[in-house]
Amino acid sequence: MGWKIDVLRDSIVCEYAGKRFLLGPDVVGSEGVPATGRLTAVQWTKDGHLVWECVLPGLLIRHCAIPSSGGLLRIESELCNPAGTDLHVGNVDLFGLLEVGDGCGWDRSFVSAQTMLGDEGIIVEDRDLASYGYFGMTTADGRSSAVLGFVDVRESFCLFIPRRTQDGSGYRILARCCLEGIRFSSGRAMILSPLVILADETGMSAQLAAYARLAAGCMGTRIDLNGAVKTGWCSWYTYYGRENEADILRNVRMLAEAGLQEKFKVIQLDDGWNLPSNEHPKVWGDWVPGAKFPRGMRAVVDDIHTAGFEAGLWLAPFTASEDSQLYKTHPDWFVGSTEGSILMLPEYGLDLSRPEVLAYLKETFHRVFQEWAFDYVKLDFLLYGSMEGRRHDDTVTSAQVFRKGLEVIREVAGDRFVLACGAPILQCAGLVDGMRLGADVGARWALPVNVPAWPHGNCAVKPAAVSAFYRDFYNGILWQNDPDCIVVRDCGTADERVMFGHRFIGHDMTEADYGLSQQEAAFWVETLRMTGGMLLLSEVWEALSPEQRQLVLRCCEKPAGHVRMVDWYVDPEVVVLQEEGSDGEIGFFNMKDAETEVRIPLSRFRAGLRQVSEERLAGHAITLMLPARSATIRTSSVLMEAHMPQGAEERR
């Protein structure tokens, strides 16, 4: 079996195992006017690659389609300006409307948000969607699927805009590289991100992991396969930025006295350390210790090191607050809108195309790492470094300048651990060690705030779990996933109640919005444990009950084998994870507010069976009743033996 590629009038037809992909001529927005190209110079190479050109007004795009065994098709593209004048280039829609499916029966979309905002994971309903970096299509039972992906997004943001065909049998998709109207000089050439199509029969979870490996091959990775998962303690979800030096050192002593230095290695000081007082307006951009840390940061770091921990620090390096000295002194350092004003946001994005801004970043992180001796940084609100707008250099995209700013920090950090948060996610590949996946967690199950931006809400377990599940395939390939912190308490802290107040982003806070039930806390612990990413505790150890402490320690008992998502997508709010191996764990996670019965065919658990034939498994399924907001963990061998049909234990 292999790819069949033909030329059909003005399109390229690619087919694999009955899955059909129709590539039309490119559409490019040049000088603000979209133009459709014309295919020409179509020919086969000696290596079996198909090459062609698409001619547009003033521009040329060269393509090369490279089929591989195993259902992978890679299409490389280059944008050229052969004209004698500079042009301003906007969106490049590769292949126009890419037609996909043609009767494959795919009724589920798998989408990815650009940052922690927006839709993530399985989408059932047919509605307007955008998916950054990659896009998946699957049947509800997971038996047929395909994934499209841009594997090198260093030069531009890339996304898919899918629309289902009227008969529901396929998709028409815009595969877009966003060049944002940059000045594209005469004679310039730009390599656009290769686009890959993964159409094998391994299932969507394996296809997504294959996509991540291809992206890591293009953009790099800092994963140390022999390195330990990063663990620690974080101040945020207890103190919410209202802590002081004494609070930090008290928690250091508690954790040390409990002998937890190895289980929770890093002490991470989160937002608020640079304020003179808790009520003072934010001064992001002025990264110097406030009066709450009177001895300065080096003294605190020395105390943390003496207690046997590493020291970590939170910063938001690509933004500044209106009350900061940085903003007041250098208003010209920030990204302007096309109308000439500073972007009207609570904080402002730095123009990372300016050499003086990069010098400021270098100076800031030299102080953090060399003078203060921190071992680890959490870089938050990084999306401010990728805002579109008027920049000092009008020839670069927001993706390019974002990478430039992150490269400066990476160079100063050396081998120290860098965690990205609130970032354009895929653009960080190769430059960070850890990646925060999604919305804030919190000591509550759900908080329906700003639903247009956060479809599942924010500051709660459920929205954090959605990203932990559906972005799990990044982990151990591109970076260590950070699903956010361990919280297990059944009440709100004093500082938490100050943070959320009586009304939080349009939501009236009540007593029910504070604290997790034992079952909800166990759900979150099992989510963290089975997805295998970073573990940062954000509780005061002495305030936890013995049962809550046991839950915390349960997080550290990670499965020994690789865990993957089971390809069963009937209900997006019921996720099944399986540890590979005949005696591995299977986790059933019900995010719904109601008890739910699931019936999953045994064939969906192929990796956990002892090579039983499909024929013997046909028609047989596992049926379980899952409590609301719960995790149900079973051992694979026991579960399979209980549900396996008579005679199915025979080997092939």
Side-chain angles (χ1 to χ4, degrees):
M1 182 189 299
W3 282 95
K4 180 182 177 182
I5 303 177
D6 292 318
V7 181
L8 179 66
R9 294 188 298 276
D10 61 346
S11 299
I12 310 296
V13 182
C14 309
E15 190 169 341
Y16 183 89
K19 302 170 184 179
R20 189 169 180 267
F21 305 85
L22 187 68
L23 316 179
D26 307 305
V27 177
V28 176
S30 178
E31 302 298 321
V33 179
T36 301
R38 175 176 53 85
L39 299 188
T40 184
V42 182
Q43 60 181 325
W44 290 95
T45 70
K46 294 180 180 179
D47 297 326
H49 304 167
L50 183 66
V51 297
W52 71 98
E53 293 180 349
C54 190
V55 179
L56 301 114
L59 293 169
L60 176 70
I61 301 182
R62 297 189 179 96
H63 297 291
C64 178
I66 307 169
S68 301
S69 60
L72 169 65
L73 179 68
R74 179 186 178 99
I75 306 170
E76 298 179 346
S77 306
E78 181 182 34
L79 175 67
C80 307
N81 178 5
T85 59
D86 292 357
L87 297 172
H88 287 273
V89 181
N91 295 326
V92 177
D93 293 333
L94 297 177
F95 323 122
L97 274 172
L98 192 159
E99 296 187 21
V100 178
D102 195 22
C104 289
W106 295 324
D107 55 1
R108 300 288 191 271
S109 301
F110 191 100
V111 303
S112 173
Q114 182 183 24
T115 64
M116 62 173 61
L117 306 174
D119 289 304
E120 187 67 37
I122 292 290
I123 303 295
V124 176
E125 63 269 25
D126 183 12
R127 58 182 172 86
D128 290 349
L129 296 170
S131 185
Y132 282 81
Y134 54 90
F135 173 66
M137 301 154 283
T138 182
T139 54
D141 63 11
R143 292 180 180 275
S144 176
S145 62
V147 168
L148 308 176
F150 289 101
V151 292
D152 190 345
V153 292
R154 290 176 292 184
E155 302 301 313
S156 68
F157 287 104
C158 300
L159 71 155
F160 296 94
I161 304 174
R163 299 292 180 265
R164 294 219 182 122
T165 55
Q166 285 189 342
D167 63 3
S169 65
Y171 291 82
R172 303 187 74 195
I173 302 172
L174 287 176
R176 176 168 290 175
C177 298
C178 304
L179 298 190
E180 305 167 10
I182 62 169
R183 180 166 54 85
F184 204 68
S185 57
S186 173
R188 180 178 176 183
M190 174 186 285
I191 302 296
L192 301 175
S193 173
L195 188 149
V196 297
I197 302 175
L198 295 144
D200 57 24
E201 299 302 312
T202 59
M204 193 168 64
S205 60
Q207 290 166 344
L208 290 167
Y211 163 76
R213 287 190 291 269
L214 290 168
C218 288
M219 302 179 66
T221 178
R222 290 184 50 80
I223 283 292
D224 177 2
L225 295 179
N226 297 316
V229 171
K230 185 61 71 173
T231 64
W233 177 88
C234 167
S235 61
W236 181 253
Y237 294 106
T238 289
Y239 296 102
Y240 286 93
R242 298 177 65 82
E243 71 275 11
N244 56 32
E245 178 181 320
D247 294 321
I248 296 296
L249 295 180
R250 182 167 64 89
N251 280 275
V252 169
R253 286 192 297 272
M254 273 188 284
L255 294 170
E257 289 169 0
L260 296 173
Q261 292 95 326
E262 294 304 318
K263 289 191 181 297
F264 301 107
K265 187 66 177 174
V266 177
I267 302 297
Q268 179 188 296
L269 282 66
D270 217 284
D271 187 14
W273 60 270
N274 65 332
L275 290 177
S277 66
N278 287 330
E279 283 67 40
H280 195 279
K282 284 190 295 187
V283 286
W284 291 358
D286 299 343
W287 303 117
V288 293
K292 296 195 295 177
F293 288 80
R295 296 188 302 148
M297 306 315 287
R298 181 55 186 260
V300 176
V301 169
D302 287 345
D303 287 347
I304 291 172
H305 285 164
T306 299
F309 297 93
E310 297 174 4
L313 187 66
W314 177 99
L315 305 96
F318 293 166
T319 182
S321 307
E322 195 169 33
D323 289 299
S324 68
Q325 288 303 309
L326 182 72
Y327 177 77
K328 293 175 180 177
T329 306
H330 301 289
D332 56 326
W333 283 13
F334 297 86
V335 178
S337 72
T338 53
E339 289 75 32
S341 64
I342 294 295
L343 290 171
M344 296 303 294
L345 293 164
E347 280 73 43
Y348 305 111
L350 283 163
D351 181 355
L352 299 175
S353 75
R354 287 183 171 272
E356 57 269 39
V357 171
L358 299 180
Y360 151 79
L361 289 175
K362 188 172 184 178
E363 175 189 355
T364 296
F365 284 91
H366 182 274
R367 182 165 63 250
V368 169
F369 289 124
Q370 304 301 328
E371 296 179 21
W372 297 345
F374 278 95
D375 310 289
Y376 160 119
V377 288
K378 174 183 175 182
L379 309 180
D380 207 350
F381 293 90
L382 290 178
L383 57 87
Y384 281 97
S386 62
M387 292 177 171
E388 291 187 35
R390 192 187 68 254
R391 286 188 169 82
H392 172 72
D393 184 349
D394 66 352
T395 68
V396 291
T397 66
S398 57
Q400 288 172 321
V401 296
F402 173 81
R403 293 273 303 183
K404 177 58 70 175
L406 207 51
E407 285 168 358
V408 168
I409 298 173
R410 179 78 267 170
E411 182 181 356
V412 180
D415 290 333
R416 298 172 183 87
F417 196 94
V418 174
L419 170 63
C421 184
I425 290 176
L426 289 170
Q427 274 66 30
C428 295
L431 296 176
V432 301
D433 304 281
M435 172 59 66
R436 169 72 174 280
L437 300 178
D440 280 14
V441 75
R444 59 193 59 79
W445 175 256
L447 195 67
V449 295
N450 195 11
V451 174
W454 298 309
H456 301 282
N458 201 347
C459 305
V461 162
K462 182 178 178 178
V466 169
S467 295
F469 293 137
Y470 289 120
R471 285 176 164 159
D472 181 51
F473 66 92
Y474 294 145
N475 193 45
I477 298 175
L478 289 168
W479 42 60
Q480 292 185 28
N481 280 356
D482 174 20
D484 213 3
C485 293
I486 306 169
V487 288
V488 296
R489 63 182 179 269
D490 57 4
C491 60
T493 69
D495 292 322
E496 181 179 13
R497 292 171 184 274
V498 172
M499 165 71 182
F500 287 92
H502 297 293
R503 189 171 177 81
F504 182 72
I505 316 182
H507 175 80
D508 291 325
M509 299 295 294
T510 69
E511 193 59 33
D513 290 314
Y514 295 99
L516 293 166
S517 71
Q518 183 80 358
Q519 185 163 284
E520 291 165 350
F523 170 97
W524 183 232
V525 163
E526 296 298 344
T527 300
L528 297 174
R529 196 179 67 82
M530 287 203 73
T531 53
M534 297 170 59
L535 291 175
L536 274 79
L537 175 65
S538 196
E539 299 278 17
V540 175
W541 186 253
E542 69 180 12
L544 299 178
S545 69
E547 293 77 16
Q548 290 167 340
R549 293 184 188 183
Q550 285 302 312
L551 273 178
V552 170
L553 296 177
R554 167 76 173 165
C555 278
C556 305
E557 300 171 7
K558 291 180 177 288
H562 176 68
V563 175
R564 67 176 183 90
M565 182 176 287
V566 172
D567 289 308
W568 181 82
Y569 304 108
V570 172
D571 189 335
E573 292 201 318
V574 177
V575 172
V576 185
L577 302 180
Q578 181 178 18
E579 180 187 3
E580 291 181 349
S582 61
D583 201 34
E585 292 182 308
I586 300 178
F588 300 84
F589 296 85
N590 182 15
M591 293 183 279
K592 302 174 81 166
D593 293 333
E595 184 180 50
T596 301
E597 184 180 67
V598 296
R599 187 177 188 276
I600 306 175
L602 285 174
S603 59
R604 296 295 82 209
F605 298 91
R606 288 292 291 126
L609 296 177
R610 297 187 290 274
Q611 296 301 311
V612 181
S613 68
E614 291 284 347
E615 292 77 12
R616 289 191 179 278
L617 295 179
H620 296 276
I622 289 174
T623 302
L624 289 177
M625 188 64 72
L626 306 178
R629 304 179 181 183
S630 72
T632 301
I633 310 299
R634 296 286 186 268
T635 302
S636 178
S637 59
V638 173
L639 192 64
M640 294 303 175
E641 288 170 7
H643 292 83
M644 205 175 290
Q646 186 176 6
E649 70 279 359
E650 297 175 11
R651 297 179 182 270
R652 287 181 177 177

